[in-house]
Amino acid sequence: MSEPFDAVDVITTKRDKRELGDGQIDWVIDAYTRGIVADEQMSSLAMAVLLNGMNRREIARWTAAMIASGERMDFSALSRPTADKHSTGGVGDKITLPLAPLVAACGVAVPQLSGRGLGHTGGTLDKLESIPGWRAGLTTQEMFHQLEDVGAVICAAGAGLAPADKKLYALRDVTGTVEAIPLIASSIMSKKIAEGTGALVLDVKVGSGAFMKDVDQARELAETMVALGTDAGVTTVALLTNMQTPLGLTAGNALEVRESVEVLAGGGPEDVVELTVTLAREMLSAAGRPDVDPADALRDGRAMDVWRRMISSQGGDPDAALPVAHETHDVLAPADGVLTQLDALKVGIAAWRLGAGRARKEDPVQAGAGVELHAKPGAQVRGGERLLTLHTDTPDRFERALDALDRAFVIAPTGSRPDLLPLVIERVG
Ligand code: URA
């Protein structure tokens, strides 16, 4: 059967800065998924989009075509409303772990489809897989039951959800086209809309450890995604949040689970607690429960109860000891003073090189590997005190991790004030 469009025409339309028609978009996404449009043609189109952009109609159509490439989940038959959160990814970003059970403890179900980490940002599934017995793969029916029974599910997205995005994302990764805002926005939102959540809160990270290095770019991405969600009938808001420095005091799989459990037990680092509660408030409000205060459910142990049930429903043992790396190496403060900078990207790369992350998607990760922080920007430190502890099972990785940490921190004279962005920079939506 002959095809209604020609791939070269679609590419040259965007190359010449013209708008793609609805039919062209529907066809190119479908034909790429079917293997009719070749990888080299799609990478050329992705580069044209990166260079010349797409307008709101084109992005919405592109997103709809990616959703239509696969199945669409529907949780509207659940007895409670649903809300999800998506983070654009950062270093030490373990917020999903305490957040999902916290929101569920407040009466809103959380169907969270997550991914594995690639590069310097960790993946939620890798973190949870450090809990003995926990499994990421659930059928849609298991997901539905767990949402009704426990209220929160964090699991892997099945192969049937937005398959066009899976193929296109892998292609963008190797063709220098990840950074295009229309492509990032449609990639994220196609999966979230197909997942069937009623409300969505986007945590758009800004800073060295994030995709978006400055606030203007992050705002553009946030506005694009909020418009896509709203147009698709999903109540969507976004927060721009600081990723200049790692979140909390850990970056690495089991290290981050331990810290998340501390938060659920009523302790944990201030920034992790603040962001968890702020995002929970947004999710509850977007799901129609603005009157419930999530801080109470964190304090009185209700969120911890949901966490334990959520982990055991997926085969995990919430009481099992978490894996610990065999070797550690301390990085000491070279002088007395104020820690004014601790670079998220460099810490993320160090954690990755220690074995917490993977270079190719089929690589294994070390559950115990990562970086532990002993101070955050703004803290007074003393020369010779521990600033960071590196954890790995394979000590020959220390050298490359230490290379990554070259100039990762600045210690200024006592009395200096760091110039830091606030944790929550802006709200969009
Ligand atoms: N995360 C996604 O799912 N897609 C992108 O394009 C970027 C980040």
Side-chain angles (χ1 to χ4, degrees):
M1 203 179 78
S2 75
E3 296 290 328
F5 293 91
D6 177 62
V8 177
D9 284 343
V10 180
I11 296 166
T12 52
T13 302
K14 195 38 72 185
R15 183 199 65 189
D16 297 341
K17 301 190 171 71
R18 285 180 282 126
E19 276 185 40
L20 297 174
D22 289 350
Q24 284 182 308
I25 293 172
D26 293 349
W27 175 78
V28 82
I29 297 290
D30 175 57
Y32 179 57
T33 313
R34 289 186 287 126
I36 303 292
V37 168
D39 275 348
E40 58 269 27
Q41 294 176 312
M42 197 59 172
S43 57
S44 181
L45 179 59
M47 184 59 82
V49 169
L50 182 136
L51 296 173
N52 297 330
M54 287 200 285
N55 65 22
R56 183 166 170 170
R57 178 197 56 78
E58 290 173 292
I59 302 173
R61 193 74 184 199
W62 188 282
T63 306
M66 296 221 290
I67 295 169
S69 73
E71 69 194 45
R72 205 164 166 167
M73 302 174 91
D74 181 5
F75 295 113
S76 58
L78 281 175
S79 59
R80 38 182 157 176
T82 50
D84 193 8
K85 182 244 3 174
H86 178 84
S87 158
T88 55
V91 178
D93 185 0
K94 71 276 297 170
I95 300 293
T96 293
L97 275 53
L99 180 64
L102 174 58
V103 171
C106 297
V108 169
V110 184
Q112 163 88 221
L113 297 176
S114 294
R116 292 196 164 71
L118 196 63
H120 74 276
T121 61
T124 299
L125 301 182
D126 294 324
K127 295 174 208 210
L128 286 167
E129 278 172 346
S130 66
I131 300 172
W134 188 86
R135 67 187 169 96
L138 294 187
T139 63
T140 306
Q141 212 175 21
E142 285 172 325
M143 222 181 139
F144 193 91
H145 285 313
Q146 189 171 322
L147 281 172
E148 194 62 275
D149 184 32
V150 179
V153 172
I154 304 173
C155 67
L161 202 85
D165 175 64
K166 281 203 179 63
K167 205 170 165 192
L168 180 55
Y169 190 57
L171 184 73
R172 288 165 54 212
D173 206 25
V174 294
T175 56
T177 51
V178 167
E179 288 83 356
I181 285 180
L183 298 181
I184 299 176
S186 54
S187 165
I188 292 172
M189 294 305 291
S190 62
K191 287 173 285 198
K192 289 292 157 185
I193 296 166
E195 169 196 279
T197 186
L200 177 65
V201 176
L202 298 159
D203 180 1
V204 180
K205 301 284 183 205
V206 189
S208 76
F211 266 128
M212 299 291 134
K213 308 294 179 199
D214 68 61
V215 174
D216 289 343
Q217 271 182 326
R219 188 182 300 115
E220 187 186 337
L221 177 61
E223 285 171 354
T224 307
M225 291 196 290
V226 168
L228 284 173
T230 307
D231 289 353
V234 180
T235 310
T236 309
V237 296
L239 298 183
L240 309 191
T241 72
N242 185 349
M243 189 33 68
Q244 291 174 316
T245 203
L247 256 176
L249 295 170
T250 55
N253 302 310
L255 291 169
E256 293 190 45
V257 173
R258 191 191 69 200
E259 190 169 274
S260 303
V261 172
E262 284 167 14
V263 170
L264 288 159
E270 228 174 89
D271 57 345
V272 179
V273 175
E274 182 187 335
L275 192 52
T276 303
V277 172
T278 304
L279 288 166
R281 284 204 178 103
E282 292 288 354
M283 287 167 75
L284 292 168
S285 167
R289 300 272 164 90
D291 44 312
V292 187
D293 186 3
D296 291 341
L298 204 51
R299 227 174 312 168
D300 64 19
R302 275 179 291 147
M304 178 67 104
D305 291 344
V306 177
W307 161 263
R308 296 176 60 81
R309 294 178 62 218
M310 177 180 92
I311 296 303
S312 35
S313 289
Q314 289 173 244
D317 178 358
D319 296 313
L322 291 165
V324 174
H326 300 145
E327 305 280 343
T328 59
H329 177 96
D330 290 328
V331 176
L332 307 180
D336 290 359
V338 178
L339 180 66
T340 52
Q341 278 178 44
L342 180 55
D343 186 76
L345 178 61
K346 292 185 177 190
V347 172
I349 293 174
W352 174 30
R353 289 186 179 175
L354 289 164
R358 49 169 72 78
R360 289 169 311 157
K361 62 180 189 316
E362 47 291 335
D363 292 346
V365 294
Q366 289 184 21
V371 178
E372 190 180 358
L373 281 53
H374 300 289
K376 297 271 285 188
Q380 177 76 38
V381 297
R382 293 179 69 90
E385 271 179 5
R386 287 184 310 165
L387 212 51
L388 305 171
T389 301
L390 315 188
H391 297 247
T392 185
D393 292 334
T394 37
D396 56 342
R397 291 173 178 261
F398 283 134
E399 193 179 330
R400 291 204 63 228
L402 288 166
D403 286 348
L405 290 168
D406 185 36
R407 283 179 284 211
F409 54 84
V410 175
I411 295 178
T414 299
S416 308
R417 289 176 68 90
D419 182 18
L420 302 173
L421 286 171
L423 181 60
V424 178
I425 301 161
E426 205 171 295
R427 184 178 187 280
V428 174

Short mmCIF file of all heavy atoms in Angstrom, two decimals, residues 344-366:
data_model
loop_
_atom_site.label_atom_id
_atom_site.label_comp_id
_atom_site.label_asym_id
_atom_site.label_seq_id
_atom_site.Cartn_x
_atom_site.Cartn_y
_atom_site.Cartn_z
N ALA A 344 25.87 20.14 41.53
CA ALA A 344 25.03 18.95 41.36
C ALA A 344 25.54 18.04 40.25
O ALA A 344 25.62 16.82 40.42
CB ALA A 344 23.59 19.36 41.07
N LEU A 345 25.89 18.62 39.11
CA LEU A 345 26.30 17.79 37.97
C LEU A 345 27.55 16.98 38.32
O LEU A 345 27.64 15.78 38.03
CB LEU A 345 26.56 18.68 36.75
CG LEU A 345 27.04 17.95 35.50
CD1 LEU A 345 26.01 16.92 35.04
CD2 LEU A 345 27.34 18.93 34.36
N LYS A 346 28.52 17.65 38.96
CA LYS A 346 29.78 16.94 39.28
C LYS A 346 29.53 15.81 40.28
O LYS A 346 30.10 14.72 40.15
CB LYS A 346 30.82 17.93 39.78
CG LYS A 346 31.24 18.86 38.64
CD LYS A 346 32.35 19.79 39.00
CE LYS A 346 32.69 20.58 37.72
NZ LYS A 346 33.88 21.37 37.83
N VAL A 347 28.69 16.06 41.27
CA VAL A 347 28.36 15.00 42.24
C VAL A 347 27.62 13.86 41.52
O VAL A 347 27.89 12.69 41.76
CB VAL A 347 27.51 15.56 43.41
CG1 VAL A 347 27.00 14.43 44.31
CG2 VAL A 347 28.32 16.57 44.23
N GLY A 348 26.72 14.22 40.60
CA GLY A 348 25.97 13.20 39.86
C GLY A 348 26.89 12.35 39.01
O GLY A 348 26.75 11.12 38.95
N ILE A 349 27.86 12.99 38.37
CA ILE A 349 28.80 12.21 37.53
C ILE A 349 29.67 11.32 38.42
O ILE A 349 29.92 10.15 38.09
CB ILE A 349 29.65 13.16 36.65
CG1 ILE A 349 28.74 13.85 35.62
CG2 ILE A 349 30.77 12.41 35.94
CD1 ILE A 349 29.41 14.92 34.78
N ALA A 350 30.07 11.83 39.58
CA ALA A 350 30.88 11.01 40.49
C ALA A 350 30.08 9.78 40.94
O ALA A 350 30.59 8.65 40.93
CB ALA A 350 31.32 11.84 41.70
N ALA A 351 28.80 10.00 41.31
CA ALA A 351 27.97 8.86 41.76
C ALA A 351 27.83 7.83 40.64
O ALA A 351 27.92 6.62 40.87
CB ALA A 351 26.59 9.36 42.20
N TRP A 352 27.65 8.33 39.43
CA TRP A 352 27.51 7.47 38.26
C TRP A 352 28.80 6.65 38.06
O TRP A 352 28.77 5.42 37.93
CB TRP A 352 27.22 8.41 37.09
CG TRP A 352 27.16 7.82 35.73
CD1 TRP A 352 26.77 6.56 35.39
CD2 TRP A 352 27.48 8.51 34.51
NE1 TRP A 352 26.81 6.42 34.03
CE2 TRP A 352 27.25 7.59 33.46
CE3 TRP A 352 27.93 9.79 34.18
CZ2 TRP A 352 27.47 7.93 32.13
CZ3 TRP A 352 28.13 10.11 32.86
CH2 TRP A 352 27.91 9.20 31.85
N ARG A 353 29.94 7.34 38.13
CA ARG A 353 31.21 6.63 37.92
C ARG A 353 31.51 5.63 39.05
O ARG A 353 32.23 4.66 38.86
CB ARG A 353 32.36 7.63 37.82
CG ARG A 353 32.30 8.41 36.52
CD ARG A 353 33.50 9.30 36.35
NE ARG A 353 33.42 10.03 35.09
CZ ARG A 353 34.29 10.96 34.71
NH1 ARG A 353 35.29 11.29 35.52
NH2 ARG A 353 34.16 11.56 33.56
N LEU A 354 30.96 5.87 40.23
CA LEU A 354 31.16 4.92 41.34
C LEU A 354 30.33 3.66 41.15
O LEU A 354 30.52 2.68 41.87
CB LEU A 354 30.79 5.60 42.67
CG LEU A 354 31.78 6.67 43.13
CD1 LEU A 354 31.16 7.56 44.21
CD2 LEU A 354 33.08 6.05 43.65
N GLY A 355 29.39 3.69 40.20
CA GLY A 355 28.59 2.50 39.90
C GLY A 355 27.10 2.68 40.16
O GLY A 355 26.32 1.74 39.97
N ALA A 356 26.68 3.89 40.59
CA ALA A 356 25.25 4.09 40.88
C ALA A 356 24.42 4.23 39.61
O ALA A 356 23.21 4.02 39.65
CB ALA A 356 25.06 5.33 41.75
N GLY A 357 25.06 4.62 38.51
CA GLY A 357 24.33 4.82 37.25
C GLY A 357 24.88 3.94 36.16
O GLY A 357 25.80 3.16 36.38
N ARG A 358 24.30 4.08 34.98
CA ARG A 358 24.73 3.22 33.86
C ARG A 358 25.05 4.09 32.65
O ARG A 358 24.47 5.17 32.48
CB ARG A 358 23.65 2.20 33.54
CG ARG A 358 22.25 2.76 33.40
CD ARG A 358 21.31 1.73 32.82
NE ARG A 358 20.97 0.66 33.75
CZ ARG A 358 20.09 0.78 34.73
NH1 ARG A 358 19.46 1.92 34.94
NH2 ARG A 358 19.83 -0.23 35.52
N ALA A 359 25.98 3.58 31.80
CA ALA A 359 26.32 4.29 30.58
C ALA A 359 25.42 3.82 29.43
O ALA A 359 25.06 4.60 28.57
CB ALA A 359 27.78 4.04 30.22
N ARG A 360 25.06 2.54 29.43
CA ARG A 360 24.14 2.01 28.40
C ARG A 360 22.97 1.38 29.12
O ARG A 360 23.13 0.87 30.24
CB ARG A 360 24.86 0.94 27.56
CG ARG A 360 25.91 1.53 26.63
CD ARG A 360 26.74 0.42 26.04
NE ARG A 360 27.18 -0.47 27.11
CZ ARG A 360 27.54 -1.73 26.94
NH1 ARG A 360 27.51 -2.27 25.74
NH2 ARG A 360 27.93 -2.48 27.95
N LYS A 361 21.81 1.35 28.47
CA LYS A 361 20.63 0.97 29.24
C LYS A 361 20.63 -0.47 29.73
O LYS A 361 19.96 -0.80 30.69
CB LYS A 361 19.33 1.35 28.53
CG LYS A 361 19.04 0.73 27.20
CD LYS A 361 17.70 1.27 26.72
CE LYS A 361 17.18 0.58 25.50
NZ LYS A 361 18.16 0.34 24.43
N GLU A 362 21.49 -1.32 29.12
CA GLU A 362 21.52 -2.71 29.59
C GLU A 362 22.55 -2.94 30.72
O GLU A 362 22.65 -4.02 31.25
CB GLU A 362 21.74 -3.69 28.43
CG GLU A 362 22.83 -3.40 27.42
CD GLU A 362 22.56 -2.19 26.50
OE1 GLU A 362 21.40 -1.80 26.27
OE2 GLU A 362 23.55 -1.61 26.03
N ASP A 363 23.32 -1.90 31.10
CA ASP A 363 24.32 -2.06 32.16
C ASP A 363 23.64 -2.28 33.52
O ASP A 363 22.60 -1.69 33.79
CB ASP A 363 25.18 -0.79 32.29
CG ASP A 363 26.07 -0.57 31.07
OD1 ASP A 363 26.22 -1.50 30.27
OD2 ASP A 363 26.61 0.55 30.94
N PRO A 364 24.29 -3.07 34.41
CA PRO A 364 23.75 -3.19 35.77
C PRO A 364 24.18 -1.98 36.62
O PRO A 364 25.11 -1.27 36.25
CB PRO A 364 24.43 -4.46 36.31
CG PRO A 364 25.72 -4.55 35.53
CD PRO A 364 25.49 -3.90 34.19
N VAL A 365 23.49 -1.75 37.73
CA VAL A 365 23.95 -0.69 38.65
C VAL A 365 24.32 -1.34 39.98
O VAL A 365 23.84 -2.42 40.31
CB VAL A 365 22.86 0.39 38.90
CG1 VAL A 365 22.56 1.17 37.64
CG2 VAL A 365 21.60 -0.19 39.49
N GLN A 366 25.18 -0.66 40.73
CA GLN A 366 25.53 -1.15 42.08
C GLN A 366 24.56 -0.49 43.06
O GLN A 366 24.47 0.73 43.13
CB GLN A 366 26.94 -0.70 42.46
CG GLN A 366 28.04 -1.40 41.72
CD GLN A 366 29.43 -0.97 42.23
OE1 GLN A 366 29.59 -0.46 43.34
NE2 GLN A 366 30.42 -1.16 41.39
#
